[in-house]
Each structure stands twice: as C-alpha cells, then as structure tokens.
Amino acid sequence: MVYGESINKSHCNASIELWSCYYTTIYHQVGCCLLICFYKPKIESHMMMEYLSLDVNHYATVIMAGVAALLAVIYLRNKRDNLPPGPFAFPIVGHLPQIILSGSVVNFCQKYKKIYGDVFTMRMGGYPRVVISGYDAMHQLLIASADHTSSRAITFTKYIKSRSERGLFFAHPSDWKAIRTFSLLTLRDRGMGRAAFEPEIVEEIEKYIEHYIEPSAGKPLDMYSNLPKATANVVSQLLFAKRFDYEDEAFTAITDVLNSAINGGLKFRMLTNLPLIGNIFPSVRKQRRNFLGIAMPVIKKCIEERKQQLDTNNPQCLVDQYLLSSDEMKFLTAENAAQLCFQLYAAGTETTSTTLRWALLYLCKNTDVLEKVQKEIDDNVGQRSTTYKDHLNMPYTDAVLTETQRLSNIVNSSLPHNAEKDIYVGGKLIPAESDLLMNMASVLYDPEVFEEPEKFKPERYLTGDITLKKKKTIPFGIGRRACLGESLAKVELFLFFVNFLQKYNIHLPEGSKVTTEPVVSVISAPKSYGIIFTPR
Ligand code: HEM
C-alpha cells in the first residue's frame, strides 16, 4: 500500500459483542487465578477452587496460566482494534509504565519510533492513539488527507457532549471552519500579527519590566508564574479590549489555574487519558474542577462587561464582534463564545511565555550567543523602540528564536487529531476513528536535517539549506488546524525578547544548577529557575 490510499471501514457490532463476552470470561479466569495465588491460605476450601478444579499446590501452573491468559487478553484486544502494531501495553494503564521509565512521552515516542517506524500504536490508559512520526507521514495525514483528519481526537471531545460547548479546539467538524474563520478574521481585524497592535504589546512589556524586573533589582527573578500574566494580557486586549492589573485576584487565579494545569505533568494527562484512575486522586479531581470552575466565571464576567460597553459602530475586540454578529452565527451560543474566548486565552498564554523562558535560559547557558544578539540589537535598534519590522534586518536574532522553538519543542505532541476514514500511511492501516498523536520531536530533531539536533545552534539557520530547515521547523503544527495564533506569537516573541535584551544583561545566579532538561507535560517547559537582570 502507498501513502494516502484509503478505504471505508466496516463496523461489526456482533463480533465486538462476542469479543466482549470472551474478554469478560478471560478476565474472570485471570482474576480467580491471581486471587488463588495471593490468598491461598484463606480460600483453600472456597468454592472457587471447585469451580476452577485447580490444585492449589501447583502455584507455578496457576501463575503461568494467569500470565498466559493475561497476555492472550492483551493480544486479542490489540488485534481487535486493528491498529498498527506497537509495544506491549498493560491492561488499564496501557503504556504508562514504559512512559514513566522512558522519562517522558517524548522519549517514549522517539524510542519506539526506532523499533516500529513512523506509525505505531500507543495506549494512554484505555485509549489508543496512533503515533505519527516524520515530516512525510505528518504531511500525508494533515495536508494531503486533511479532509479526513481535521477533527480533534475522540479522547478530547467525548467529555464535551454538547456541540454548543466546544469552542474552537473541540469544535464539531461541521462548525469548526466557521468558528475558525470568525476567530481569525476578527483577531486580524483587531490587529493580531499586524503593526497596528504592536504598541499595545510594547506597552505590556514596559509594564512587566516596571512591575517585575525593576523591583527584582539584581536578585533572581523566577518568571514561571508572572510572565504568563503579560502574555495573557496581550490576548485579553484582543478578546476583551482590556488588560488586567497584575495583582487582580481573578486574573491571578485564572493564570495560576492555567499554569498548573498546562505544566501539571501526569496529573493533567490523567484528566484526558486516565479518567477512571485520575478520579481516584483528589488533587486530579480538584484540577478538573478548577480548570473550568475558576476560569469560566472570569471569562463570562469579561463578556458581560463588553455587553454593557458595546458601541455598535465601533467594535473594539473579538467579543464585540461576536455580540454584533451573533444572529448570523447561531451555532456560537453564549456558552460556546465563552469557551472560544477561554481557549484562545489559554492557547496564547503559556505557549508564548514558556518559549520566552526557554530563549532566556538558552542564552544564559550560551553567553557567546547572548553577546551576538545584543550586538545585533545595538546595531539595528539602538535605544529607540523596537518594531517587528526590525526582524528583517536581524537574521541572527531571528535564528535564535527559531532555534529556541525547534529545540524546546514545547507543544510536544501537537493537539491530537482524529482520522475519520481508514487511511494507509507508509503501508500501515490507520483505521477510521483512530486518534492521532504527532511526535513533533521526530521532525524537529531529525538528524538528517538538523546536525547535532540536541544542541542549541542558531547558526544552523544561517548556513546550508536554510529553506529545507525552515520548512521542517514546525512548532506551530501544519495543515488546516495549525496554530491560529502563529503570527501573534512570532511578533510577541520578537518584541519581548529584544526589549529585555536591549535593556538588560542576563545571567543565572552563582552556582545555579538548572539544566535544559525539560519538564514534559502538555507542553515541555524549562524547570523553574531564577534569572538575574542587570541594567545595561
Ligand atoms: C509559541 C507559541 C505557540 C506555539 C508553539 C503554538 C503551537 C500550536 C500547535 C502545535 C497547535 C496544534 C496544531 C494542530 O492541531 O495541528 C496549536 C493550535 C492552536 N493555537 Fe497555538 N501556539 C502558540 C501560540 C498561540 C497563540 C498566541 C494563540 C492565540 C491567541 C494560539 C492559538 C491556537 C489555537 C486557537 C489553536 C487551535 C486551532 C484549531 O483547533 O483549529 N496559539 N498551537
């Protein structure tokens, strides 16, 4: 089979029912065997022994039978799914043990890609996901087969039953295009990625410097929980035409909730992948409650405020535009609009601030690069205010930011997609309804394209086949559902970065042990670290 060949899937409910009965029986047998092994003294005379007709002294036989039955269950379950082969998966927890042993999902995917190739199955809890590696396979699925892969993973959407509560991330396939077009046009209209919006970003940077950097006065500043407030305010201007005071309680609560959820590692993955196990832990349950419970009232209050201030002749932000056009956009209910705002807010907050924290850390670790960036800033910007247009004359700074995005690989699995039809990729069948997880590291760290991919080397974007390297640098994803905020993120990254380094020298505190080993969660972030800013 070749890339892209697709066939229709036939469902066979009867055989699924048959399998279910079969599994239930095997699980029952295995359960009994294990019970006997561990509680033999207590149940020696129990009726179960008669039922199984087993001699309790033959432990070895019982254990072997149990293990064999367990393996049979796993084998048959995997076979039933018709999914591409992958490593051995444990019942209930799936590949969780191997993920923990590998150190992260990223390492796990990279490790098993070497054994199973560009397409293999991974199980997070009970849910299988087909892991896609390599640019060609991703291109095949997300661009050439975009008509059938542009909906979100079932594991994402199954918890949001109502179509009118899905916002953009989880939008029903038939609503997605209209919501995305509305969001993109409105945000662009308000200035996203355009020079007209730059003064507001620069004003936010100045406020951040005044509020956090200046008072740090040469002491280490940990930007982990305060930099997201600055990037959140940038998005807030586009959504609600307002910025929050950094000390505002509701604002602090919403950024803290996002921060801990997105950086919450295993806990957050449990929310979507291991709901049954996750529910056992109070802290996971609390995170689930907080995520929307704290955030949504703040978002709804902002929307309500816009209603009161609405000037029909002069819409100021995305919410104004929604309030004015909602008659034509029936699917965008009030609840859906609130979800959309929250998702844009969430998508634009941690991503940009985490990338900036990576960039500053890489520079502290590579002082020669820091010097070159500052020289380029001095030569091209000097003391005046920076604009995004300056990046055209600052190839080295641009290369540093591109290399930061490549190496940090922050959205390490992209956002999962779903295959709506059977698709063959590289000769392997991806059955309809499979959830797809993109192994972004396989492209961003491809040694065929990026020499010594694990190293921070901005010069790579200034020599050799630059076009190819840029094409394969895909931190924002590819295809129809690629990042909606890419243009905004690029402007923000450049303006924050240049403004910081134009005004300050940066270094890590004496004896700092922070490494560039990431904390891998929904995003890959640097470990919490302090940075010392000294005025230049
Ligand atoms: C460095 C910053 C950022 C990175 C690396 C990033 C990366 C990504 C990635 C990998 C995806 C998934 C693509 C896919 O599903 O195939 C995505 C989706 C998305 N991003 Fe970003 N993003 C960033 C900043 C932003 C910003 C600033 C915004 C907007 C305010 C934003 C809004 C979105 C939205 C709305 C989606 C979902 C699009 C859809 O489902 O159609 N992102 N982003």
Side-chain angles (χ1 to χ4, degrees), residues 152 169 176 180 347-348 351 355 405 411 414 417 475-476 481 483 485:
R152 286 282 172 225
F169 274 9
W176 164 78
R180 179 155 171 136
T351 45
T355 308
Q405 290 211 271
V411 191
S414 189
H417 289 235
F476 297 101
R481 294 207 81 156
C483 180

Side-chain angles (χ1 to χ4, degrees), residues 142 150 152 168-171 176 180 183 187 192 235 238 340 343-353 355 405 410-411 413-417 438 440 474-486 488-490 492-493:
L142 301 180
S150 293
R152 286 282 172 225
L168 172 59
F169 274 9
F170 313 117
W176 164 78
R180 179 155 171 136
S183 310
L187 291 176
M192 179 174 85
V235 184
L238 292 168
L340 170 65
Q343 291 169 7
L344 287 167
Y345 191 91
T349 297
E350 287 294 326
T351 45
T352 321
S353 61
T355 308
Q405 290 211 271
I410 67 160
V411 191
S413 310
S414 189
L415 290 180
H417 289 235
M438 303 301 144
M440 300 294 265
I474 53 163
F476 297 101
I478 53 170
R480 284 185 200 164
R481 294 207 81 156
C483 180
L484 177 127
E486 177 172 348
L488 172 66
K490 283 185 170 163
E492 274 188 84
L493 290 175

Side-chain angles (χ1 to χ4, degrees), residues 4 102 135 137 145 188 237 294 309 340 353 357 363 367 399 405:
S102 308
Y135 186 83
S145 307
R188 279 200 193 134
Q237 292 277 16
I294 290 183
Q309 296 166 14
L340 170 65
S353 61
R357 289 199 302 122
L363 260 55
T367 47
Q405 290 211 271

Side-chain angles (χ1 to χ4, degrees), residues 258 364 514:
L258 274 176
C364 288
V514 68

Side-chain angles (χ1 to χ4, degrees), residues 281-313:
F281 301 101
S283 62
V284 175
R285 283 206 305 271
K286 189 171 164 214
Q287 189 137 56
R288 193 200 300 270
R289 271 199 315 275
N290 280 356
F291 194 54
L292 292 177
I294 290 183
M296 287 306 275
V298 182
I299 298 289
K300 285 181 179 167
K301 189 162 168 251
C302 291
I303 296 178
E304 204 47 49
E305 279 171 15
R306 288 315 304 171
K307 262 189 205 159
Q308 310 305 324
Q309 296 166 14
L310 185 65
D311 175 352
T312 46
N313 297 317

Side-chain angles (χ1 to χ4, degrees), residues 219-235:
K219 292 199 200 77
L221 171 69
D222 189 347
M223 301 166 107
Y224 170 72
S225 58
N226 52 50
L227 194 55
K229 288 187 171 180
T231 48
N233 263 337
V234 171
V235 184

